[in-house]
Amino acid sequence: MPVLAYCIVESELEIDVPHVGVQDASIQSLTDSGLRCFISDYAASAAATGKPVQDAAVAFNAVLQRIFRQTAIVPFRFPTILQGTSELSGFLRQGASGYRDALLRLRNKVQMDLRISFLDHAEAAAEIPVGRSGTEYLQRQQARHQKLAAAARELRRAGGPSVERWSEREVPNGLRCYALVARSSIKEFLGQVENALLSPDLSARVTGPWPATEFLKED
Amino acid sequence: MPRASTNVIIASNDALGDVSVLDILDHVLTQGVIVRGNLIISLAGVDLIYVGLDLILTSVETALRHMGPFPALASGHDEP
């Protein structure tokens, strides 16, 4: 039976685990190499498009958040479906040392996601109006990059000393930033970052706390 | 030069939070460990799942582009 993998935690921790997860399947766990991995049986024959997948993703996140409120986790990307538990055990053994180190290092840390986007959809797509040149396109692209970079710098500055680490990724419609913050500093971080001053044609959406997936590896 | 604005939206993920379904989808589909070679497994119906994910991803990205500065706040159980 295929299994859906949720997340990895340190094996010796006592955790209050949800009884059911995606597709109302029972949450089980597998322990190997000092790690504990939460899984549930997954029926691939269930409807696999549209709302059922969306509902499954929400149910998946609910399981992660319930465990994450209690301890650091290494979540799997949704959906990670393996053929069985032996495959999962092999995966845990292969990466055990790195995951144990990460879980220890990130034990009291969370990730805050900041998504910067243009309010003007045409600007977001960096579209070229008909009749304009490629040079103008490149200049617009450069200006766009600079604006996004400036917004990221401002958000990082505004976050203050509660930001322990920071990373960024360009996405088609803007920029994603990730801040590593101590769990005890979440409110302080949010209170500071909401006062960041951005260009009026930009907005930033801050969500979290999430598991610190961007920071699993040390610098 | 345009004046700066405080156009920062906080969508908290705590028990009373206002993180939207799109935020959740956006996060769980793009973050987390990947077990390489296992997102597609050799079972009937898996191709449907993969195609479904492509559609979901497209919908999320498209929806995020059109979310605007102050999207309607919703609980984690609301429809996008």
Side-chain angles (χ1 to χ4, degrees):
Chain A
M1 179 93 192
V3 294
L4 174 73
Y6 290 83
C7 62
I8 304 167
V9 301
E10 295 172 87
S11 63
E12 52 278 1
L13 297 174
E14 291 257 352
I15 295 176
D16 170 32
V17 183
H19 292 139
V20 296
V22 173
Q23 297 174 341
D24 285 329
S26 298
I27 301 287
Q28 304 154 55
S29 69
L30 176 153
T31 301
D32 199 311
S33 308
L35 298 168
R36 188 174 171 197
C37 182
F38 295 101
I39 57 175
S40 64
D41 290 340
Y42 190 81
S45 58
T49 59
K51 192 160 187 310
V53 176
Q54 175 187 302
D55 290 344
V58 171
F60 176 84
N61 181 64
V63 172
L64 294 190
Q65 286 294 323
R66 171 108 168 244
I67 300 170
F68 178 54
R69 277 185 208 116
Q70 302 169 68
T71 188
I73 67 173
V74 175
F76 288 92
R77 191 167 300 192
F78 179 80
T80 293
I81 304 164
L82 295 100
Q83 295 199 30
T85 54
S86 57
E87 195 171 10
L88 184 57
S89 290
F91 173 78
L92 287 179
R93 265 178 244 128
Q94 210 173 12
S97 168
Y99 292 134
R100 281 198 301 267
D101 288 345
L103 286 167
L104 188 63
R105 184 167 35 83
L106 299 171
R107 191 176 274 175
N108 297 309
K109 314 288 186 193
V110 303
Q111 174 178 306
M112 304 302 290
D113 289 9
L114 305 91
R115 189 173 65 240
I116 307 169
S117 52
F118 284 95
L119 297 175
D120 179 331
H121 304 306
E123 182 64 47
E127 292 163 1
I128 312 175
V130 173
R132 299 294 175 90
S133 69
T135 300
E136 186 165 335
Y137 169 76
L138 290 172
Q139 287 171 342
R140 280 167 60 93
Q141 282 285 71
Q142 188 179 29
R144 180 178 174 274
H145 283 303
Q146 287 170 348
K147 268 191 179 167
L148 290 172
R153 281 195 302 274
E154 167 60 9
L155 285 166
R156 183 172 187 175
R157 182 208 63 77
S162 53
V163 176
E164 297 185 13
R165 283 176 65 188
W166 181 269
S167 77
E168 298 173 9
R169 286 176 196 255
E170 277 216 37
V171 290
N173 59 332
L175 190 67
R176 289 176 190 270
C177 306
Y178 306 96
L180 183 69
V181 171
R183 204 180 276 270
S184 57
S185 300
I186 295 172
K187 279 190 179 158
E188 178 190 343
F189 170 79
L190 290 175
Q192 290 172 327
V193 81
E194 71 177 343
N195 295 317
L197 294 176
L198 306 180
S199 174
D201 55 345
L202 290 173
S203 76
R205 184 171 176 86
V206 184
T207 62
W210 303 104
T213 45
E214 284 290 310
F215 305 101
L216 290 178
K217 294 192 176 149
E218 287 191 276
D219 278 336
Chain B
M1 185 160 180
R3 288 170 52 196
S5 70
T6 54
N7 213 0
V8 179
I9 303 148
I10 308 291
S12 170
N13 208 8
D14 63 22
L16 300 174
D18 46 16
V19 66
S20 71
V21 172
L22 281 179
D23 292 321
I24 292 170
L25 287 171
D26 180 46
H27 189 87
V28 300
L29 292 174
T30 59
Q31 292 280 298
V33 169
I34 298 173
V35 180
R36 298 214 176 270
N38 285 309
L39 283 179
I40 301 175
I41 55 176
S42 55
L43 285 180
V46 169
D47 288 343
L48 290 175
I49 294 172
Y50 190 75
V51 168
L53 271 182
D54 285 343
L55 294 174
I56 291 286
L57 284 170
T58 299
S59 297
V60 167
E61 282 301 328
T62 302
L64 289 172
R65 277 202 295 276
H66 291 87
M67 217 176 198
F70 298 106
L73 297 177
S75 71
H77 300 289
D78 284 359
E79 297 292 328

